C-alpha cells in the first residue's frame, strides 16, 4: 500500500485549490484528501468550508454521510469482505465470522497493532464469482476458508 | 508465432487470477524465446469459466478455461502444437451458453481491446453517432422512442420520452448524467460493459447530448469499481485526443465533453436525485419529485439521467434502426436485457437475451442449478429491493409487467440464486437492516421503518407474540411501500413480504439457534 503523507495544512490547501475549477468539487476534494492523508482529518473541514463558501456543518455532514470517508487513519492493510446477498448465498457470513475470529476484531475495527482494518462492503460486482473480497484495493473472488486464511496471513507479514 | 491471445482484464476475471495467468503466459513464452501479443479484453460474461483465455486461429477464436497460472506452461505447449487440452472449450462463438444469447448491447464486450478506439470503430463503433448526426436531433430522439427502450436501471421509464422532455426544456446549459452507481448485489452489467467496451458509453452519452442539446456529461461510477473508473477515464482521454469529445465532436457542429465522478460508498446514490445531490457535492439525500430532473436536474438545469445499460444500448439502436431493436422482446418490454445470473449458481454470468425468457429457464437451464449441487430454494431478482421468488413462480417471464404482476421487479436484471440452506427470515431481516444502514434519512417511513422492521423480524424469529408481530411487520411494510420518497424505503418491503408470503415456514415460532447467534 502507498503510505499516507503526514497531515499538512499547506498540502491540503493545494489539494483543495487544484479541484476548485470543477463543478461540484466537494467529493473530488474529499477523495483527494483521503488519497493523500489516508483519512479526512477534522482540520480540513473548515478549510473546505471556506473554499466552497459552505458552513462547516455542511462539510461535516457530507464527510459523515458517505461510508468511504474515514474520520481516522485505517490500519496498514484494509480487508473488505462483501456482505451482500450474492455473497451470502455462497457462505459469506461464515467467512465473515472466520475473519473476525482470525483477526480478533469486529467489522469496522482496526487491530490494536494497527496492521489491519476489517470492513464490510456491499457488493464489488463480482457476484458470479462469489464470495468476494478486496485487500488493499486488490479484488479476490471465489473466496473460501483457505483463501481467506491466506489473505489474513498476508496482512500479518 | 504472431497469434493474438485474449486474457480478460475484467475485474471479475482478475479476481480469480487473470493477471497471474497473463504473467504466466508471458513467462512461458519468454522461456521459449517467443513474444506473445496479449490483449486484455473484457469478459465474455461466462464467469464460471474465468479466467477464460482465447487464442486467435485461422478458424476464429478458440477458448480455454478456467485457466490457472499453473496450467499455463502445458497449455501454451498444447496451443502451439495444435494439440487438444483438457481445458479446451472449442470455438468461443460455438459455446452454447454464448451462442444462445442475443448480444446487442454487449455485442463487442469481451471481443474488442477495450483500450483501442480503432478496434471499437472496426467493430461498428461510432456508426450510431454517424447516423444520429445524419438524422438530426429530433429524429434521433424519435428513433429512441420508437425502439421501445426503457430505463435499464430498474424503473423502466421510456428513455426516449425522457430525452424528449429535456430537449423541449429551454436552458443555456443542460447535462447528461450516466448512473453507474450499480449497488445492487447480483448485478455487474454496468461494471462489465464499462470495463469491456468503454467507448460505447462515450458514444451513447454523446448521442444523447447532441439530441437534447447538452454539452456536458458526467458518468458517476461507484467507488467499489476501481477498475471501471480507471478504464473509463483512460477511454475518455483517448476519445478526447481523437476528437470524439470536446469541441466539434467528430467533425460535427456540436460540442460535448464528459468526465467520470466517483461515488463514496452510499447505496442510495443509485437513486437518481440522490445521485444528482452527490454530484453537486452534497449528502446523497433524495429530492422530492416534481420537479423532474428533466426539468430541474443537475445544478437546477435540465438533465438526462440514464442508466449505463440504457445509454450503452443507444448506439446500436441508432446504428441498426429502432425497428431492429423493437423486434426483440415481449409486450411492453422491447429489445434485450443483459441478465446477470449470480450467487449460488453453477453457470453464473451475464446472459443477454430478448425479454420473455422465464425465470425457470434462467435458473435451471442456463444457470444450471446451484453451485453447491443442492436444490434451488429461492431466487432474489432485482437486487436488495427485489422480491424472493420460490420455484412455484419459475414460469414468470422476464418482463417488467410480468414481474410487477407477481409483486416483484426485474430491477437492473440481477438474479441471485440460493440453495435450500437459506434461512428466509434471516434474508428478510437483512433487507430491513440494509435499508436502515443505507437510508438517506429524509423520509420517516424509510429512516425509522427499517429499524423498527429489524426489531420486529427479530421478535418474530424469537417467537415473541408471533401473530401480533406478523401483523405489525405487514403494516410497517405497507407504510414503507406507500409512504417512502424513493425506491429504497418503498421497495424494501418486496424482499421482506415475499420471503414471508412464500416461505412462511422460516418465520416459525421456535428458532433458538438464531436467537443465540444474535
Amino acid at each position: 500500500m502507498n503510505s499516507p503523507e503526514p497531515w499538512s495544512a499547506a498540502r491540503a490547501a493545494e489539494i483543495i485549490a487544484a479541484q476548485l475549477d470543477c463543478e461540484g468539487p466537494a467529493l473530488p476534494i474529499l477523495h483527494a484528501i483521503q488519497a493523500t492523508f489516508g483519512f479526512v482529518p477534522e482540520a480540513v473541514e473548515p478549510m473546505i468550508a471556506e473554499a466552497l463558501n459552505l458552513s462547516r456543518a455542511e462539510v461535516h455532514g457530507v464527510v459523515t454521510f458517505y461510508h468511504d470517508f474515514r474520520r481516522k487513519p485505517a490500519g496498514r492493510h484494509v480487508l473488505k469482505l462483501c456482505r451482500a446477498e450474492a455473497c451470502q448465498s455462497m457462505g459469506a457470513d461464515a467467512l465473515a465470522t472466520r475473519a473476525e475470529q482470525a483477526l480478533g476484531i469486529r467489522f469496522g475495527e482496526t487491530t490494536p497493532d494497527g496492521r489491519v482494518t476489517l470492513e464490510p462492503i456491499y457488493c464489488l460486482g463480482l457476484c458470479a464469482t462469489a464470495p468476494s473480497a478486496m485487500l488493499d484495493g486488490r479484488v479476490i473472488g471465489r473466496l473460501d476458508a483457505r483463501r481467506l486464511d491466506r489473505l489474513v496471513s498476508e496482512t500479518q507479514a | 508465432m504472431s497469434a493474438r491471445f485474449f486474457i480478460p482484464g475484467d475485474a471479475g476475471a482478475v479476481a480469480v487470477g487473470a493477471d497471474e495467468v497473463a504473467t504466466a503466459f508471458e513467462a512461458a513464452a519468454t522461456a521459449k524465446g517467443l513474444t506473445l501479443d496479449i490483449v486484455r479484453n473484457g469478459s465474455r460474461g461466462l464467469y464460471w469459466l474465468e479466467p477464460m483465455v482465447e487464442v486467435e486461429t485461422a478458424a476464429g477464436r478458440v477458448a480455454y478455461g478456467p485457466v490457472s497460472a499453473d496450467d499455463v506452461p502445458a497449455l501454451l505447449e498444447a496451443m502451439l502444437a495444435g494439440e487438444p487440452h483438457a481445458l479446451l472449450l472449442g470455438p468461443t462463438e460455438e459455446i452454447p451458453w454464448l451462442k444462445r444469447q442475443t448480444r446487442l448491447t454487449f455485442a463487442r464486450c469481451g471481443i474488442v481491446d477495450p483500450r483501442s478506439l480503432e478496434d471499437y470503430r472496426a467493430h461498428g463503433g461510432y456508426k450510431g453517432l454517424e447516423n444520429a448526426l445524419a438524422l438530426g436531433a429530433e429524429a434521433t430522439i424519435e428513433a429512441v422512442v420508437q425502439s421501445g427502450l426503457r430505463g435499464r436501471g430498474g424503473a423502466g421509464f421510456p428513455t426516449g420520452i425522457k430525452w424528449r422532455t429535456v430537449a423541449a426544456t429551454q436552458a443555456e446549459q443542460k447535462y447528461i448524467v450516466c448512473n453507474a452507481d450499480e449497488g445492487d448485489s447480483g448485478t455487474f452489467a454496468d461494471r462489465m460493459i464499462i470495463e469491456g467496451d468503454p467507448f460505447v458509453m462515450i458514444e451513447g452519452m454523446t448521442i444523447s447530448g447532441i439530441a437534447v442539446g447538452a454539452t456536458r456529461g458526467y458518468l458517476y461510477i461507484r467507488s467499489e469499481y476501481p477498475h471501471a473508473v480507471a478504464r473509463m477515464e483512460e477511454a475518455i482521454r483517448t476519445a478526447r485526443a481523437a476528437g470524439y469529445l470536446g469541441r466539434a465532436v467528430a467533425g460535427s457542429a456540436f460540442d460535448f465533453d464528459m468526465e467520470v465522478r466517483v461515488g463514496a460508498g452510499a447505496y442510495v446514490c443509485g437513486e437518481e436525485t440522490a445521485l444528482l445531490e452527490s454530484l453537486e457535492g452534497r449528502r446523497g439525500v433524495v429530492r422530492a419529485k416534481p420537479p423532474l430532473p428533466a426539468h430541474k436536474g443537475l445544478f437546477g438545469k435540465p438533465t438526462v439521467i440514464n442508466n449505463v445499460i440504457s445509454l450503452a444500448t443507444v448506439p446500436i439502436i441508432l446504428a441498426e434502426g429502432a425497428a431492429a431493436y423493437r423486434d426483440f422482446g415481449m409486450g411492453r418490454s422491447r429489445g434485450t436485457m443483459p441478465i446477470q445470473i449470480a450467487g449460488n449458481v453453477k453457470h453464473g454470468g451475464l446472459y443477454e437475451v430478448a425479454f420473455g425468457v422465464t425465470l425457470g429457464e434462467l435458473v435451471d437451464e442456463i444457470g444450471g442449478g446451484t453451485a453447491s449441487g443442492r436444490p434451488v430454494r429461492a431466487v432474489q431478482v432485482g437486487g436488495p429491493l427485489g422480491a424472493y421468488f420460490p420455484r412455484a413462480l419459475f414460469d414468470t417471464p422476464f418482463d417488467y409487467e410480468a414481474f410487477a404482476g407477481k409483486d416483484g421487479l426485474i430491477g437492473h436484471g440481477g438474479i441471485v440464486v440460493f440453495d435450500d440452506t437459506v434461512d428466509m427470515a434471516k434474508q428478510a431481516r437483512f433487507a430491513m437492516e440494509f435499508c436502515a444502514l443505507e437510508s438517506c434519512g429524509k423520509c420517516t417511513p424509510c429512516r425509522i421503518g427499517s429499524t423498527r422492521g429489524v426489531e420486529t423480524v427479530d421478535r418474530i424469529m424469537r417467537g415473541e407474540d408471533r401473530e401480533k408481530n406478523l401483523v405489525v411487520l405487514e403494516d410497517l411494510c405497507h407504510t414503507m411501500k406507500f409512504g417512502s420518497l424513493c425506491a429504497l424505503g418503498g421497495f424494501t418491503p418486496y424482499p421482506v413480504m415475499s420471503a414471508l408470503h412464500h416461505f412462511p415456514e422460516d418465520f416459525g415460532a421456535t428458532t433458538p439457534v438464531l436467537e443465540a447467534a444474535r
Side-chain angles (χ1 to χ4, degrees):
Chain A
M1 281 193 96
N2 291 337
S3 46
E5 295 176 23
W7 165 251
S8 147
R11 181 85 174 91
E14 268 172 38
I15 293 167
I16 295 169
Q19 303 286 344
L20 285 181
D21 285 343
C22 74
E23 295 182 310
L27 261 65
I29 288 174
L30 290 168
H31 275 304
I33 291 285
Q34 180 151 303
T36 306
F37 303 112
F39 69 115
V40 180
E42 210 173 311
V44 85
E45 290 179 5
M47 297 173 69
I48 296 173
E50 169 89 24
L52 303 186
N53 196 23
L54 296 171
S55 73
R56 193 176 163 183
E58 281 172 291
V59 175
H60 185 73
V62 173
V63 175
T64 52
F65 181 86
Y66 295 97
H67 298 304
D68 281 4
F69 299 129
R70 300 177 193 287
R71 311 287 298 138
K72 54 183 191 201
R76 285 194 292 283
H77 298 282
V78 178
L79 178 60
K80 299 183 185 196
L81 295 185
C82 179
R83 307 295 313 272
E85 291 92 336
C87 288
Q88 288 169 14
S89 77
M90 288 296 281
D93 287 352
L95 292 174
T97 307
R98 190 181 179 92
E100 284 185 329
Q101 284 167 354
L103 294 167
I105 49 171
R106 307 291 301 268
F107 276 86
E109 293 177 354
T110 301
T111 52
D113 61 6
R115 277 181 204 262
V116 196
T117 298
L118 180 64
E119 290 179 344
I121 191 162
Y122 292 92
C123 200
L124 289 160
L126 310 172
C127 318
T129 51
S132 54
M134 188 182 247
L135 177 61
D136 302 336
R138 193 177 97 221
V139 286
I140 300 107
R142 294 183 195 139
L143 197 68
D144 54 19
R146 191 177 53 88
R147 284 205 175 91
L148 176 64
D149 292 349
R150 211 186 308 154
L151 292 181
V152 168
S153 58
E154 260 185 62
T155 64
Q156 302 301 311
Chain B
M1 177 168 156
S2 62
R4 293 180 98 190
F5 287 74
F6 297 84
I7 306 171
D10 174 278
V14 169
V16 291
D19 284 351
E20 290 78 4
V21 168
T23 309
F25 262 101
E26 273 164 6
T30 307
K32 289 183 164 302
L34 300 168
T35 319
L36 301 181
D37 177 11
I38 295 177
V39 174
R40 300 303 303 270
N41 56 332
S43 175
R44 296 268 196 163
L46 290 69
Y47 279 104
W48 81 99
L49 296 175
E50 293 289 3
M52 188 175 93
V53 177
E54 291 175 82
V55 62
E56 210 165 52
T57 72
R61 278 158 72 160
V62 174
Y64 299 81
V67 178
S68 77
D70 296 341
D71 296 324
V72 172
L75 179 60
L76 182 64
E77 198 78 47
M79 283 169 158
L80 294 174
E83 285 165 6
H85 188 276
L87 295 175
L88 176 66
L89 301 165
T92 316
E93 302 292 341
E94 295 301 318
I95 298 174
W97 211 86
L98 201 54
K99 200 176 181 181
R100 284 175 63 188
Q101 298 189 38
T102 302
R103 289 235 168 169
L104 302 179
T105 308
F106 281 76
R108 275 176 299 265
C109 193
I111 294 174
V112 294
D113 177 353
R115 288 203 162 91
S116 165
L117 184 58
E118 295 72 46
D119 215 10
Y120 179 70
R121 288 178 48 96
H123 286 81
Y126 279 114
K127 200 174 145 200
L129 177 64
E130 198 180 298
N131 289 352
L133 288 170
L135 284 170
E138 217 167 297
T140 298
I141 295 173
E142 202 49 37
V144 178
V145 172
Q146 290 307 320
S147 74
L149 179 66
R150 292 166 70 181
R152 297 289 188 247
F157 188 81
T159 304
I161 305 291
K162 211 182 245 188
W163 289 20
R164 206 186 261 162
T165 311
V166 176
T169 308
Q170 295 305 313
E172 282 192 13
Q173 178 70 60
K174 299 180 191 180
Y175 293 100
I176 308 299
V177 173
C178 177
N179 182 347
D181 195 40
E182 182 177 52
D184 290 356
S185 175
T187 65
F188 44 85
D190 297 356
R191 181 187 63 66
M192 206 175 120
I193 197 131
I194 291 172
E195 292 179 4
D197 193 15
F199 293 107
V200 82
M201 301 312 309
I202 300 175
E203 186 181 353
M205 287 180 72
T206 305
I207 292 171
S208 178
I210 291 174
V212 305
T215 53
R216 286 202 65 76
Y218 288 98
L219 208 162
Y220 185 99
I221 308 181
R222 57 203 297 267
S223 61
E224 292 85 346
Y225 285 1
H227 298 77
V229 170
R231 181 54 48 82
M232 199 62 232
E233 285 181 336
E234 188 188 323
I236 289 173
R237 284 194 298 271
T238 305
R240 200 178 284 139
Y244 281 101
L245 283 174
R247 292 207 173 277
V249 169
S252 73
F254 301 94
D255 300 341
F256 184 78
D257 211 336
M258 59 182 279
E259 63 184 88
V260 170
R261 282 297 170 87
V262 182
Y267 176 75
V268 75
C269 288
E271 196 284 332
E272 60 179 15
T273 61
L275 189 151
L276 296 175
E277 287 288 308
S278 184
L279 270 177
E280 291 183 19
R282 284 193 287 274
R283 297 163 68 92
V285 173
V286 173
R287 295 177 185 172
K289 287 190 272 194
L292 296 170
H295 292 130
K296 280 184 172 24
L298 187 61
F299 302 110
K301 300 292 192 288
T303 302
V304 165
I305 175 160
N306 280 148
N307 175 257
V308 166
I309 302 302
S310 312
L311 285 165
T313 304
V314 164
I316 191 151
I317 290 171
L318 269 302
E320 304 296 327
Y325 189 75
R326 194 185 50 221
D327 283 350
F328 293 100
M330 70 175 274
R332 289 172 51 216
S333 303
R334 309 312 312 174
T336 58
M337 183 77 191
I339 298 169
Q340 301 123 83
I341 308 171
N344 195 335
V345 66
K346 202 168 164 193
H347 299 153
L350 182 134
Y351 196 90
E352 184 176 351
V353 66
F355 285 96
V357 60
T358 67
L359 186 55
E361 284 174 74
L362 288 165
V363 174
D364 294 328
E365 286 176 41
I366 299 160
T370 62
S372 61
R374 303 181 66 95
V376 174
R377 177 137 188 261
V379 175
Q380 188 178 27
V381 184
L385 308 176
Y388 284 99
F389 281 73
R391 287 206 79 94
L393 295 178
F394 272 19
D395 60 345
T396 311
F398 214 86
D399 164 273
Y400 290 100
E401 280 70 36
F403 266 70
K406 299 279 169 67
D407 286 325
L409 46 102
I410 63 171
H412 188 47
I415 293 183
V416 177
V417 181
F418 290 81
D419 71 11
D420 62 350
T421 60
V422 67
D423 177 340
M424 295 308 296
K426 202 172 153 194
Q427 297 308 120
R429 185 189 192 278
F430 177 77
M432 285 290 192
E433 196 186 0
F434 187 68
C435 180
L437 182 68
E438 297 296 336
S439 176
C440 79
K442 180 150 176 166
C443 70
T444 317
C446 174
R447 183 183 69 243
I448 297 181
S450 51
T451 298
R452 293 291 94 87
V454 173
E455 294 164 0
T456 309
V457 176
D458 278 342
R459 286 192 198 104
I460 295 167
M461 287 163 86
R462 284 199 301 266
E464 253 177 66
D465 288 329
R466 188 170 173 276
E467 295 307 317
K468 230 194 254 175
N469 278 308
L470 284 173
V471 175
V472 171
L473 186 61
E474 291 234 17
D475 188 52
L476 196 55
C477 282
H478 187 268
T479 304
M480 288 174 73
K481 187 171 174 179
F482 295 102
S484 298
L485 204 51
C486 84
L488 180 50
F491 290 0
T492 293
Y494 281 111
V496 177
M497 294 314 294
S498 58
L500 189 57
H501 284 154
H502 301 308
F503 307 93
E505 63 275 21
D506 285 15
F507 293 78
T510 49
T511 48
V513 178
L514 289 164
E515 192 183 350
R518 219 182 131 242

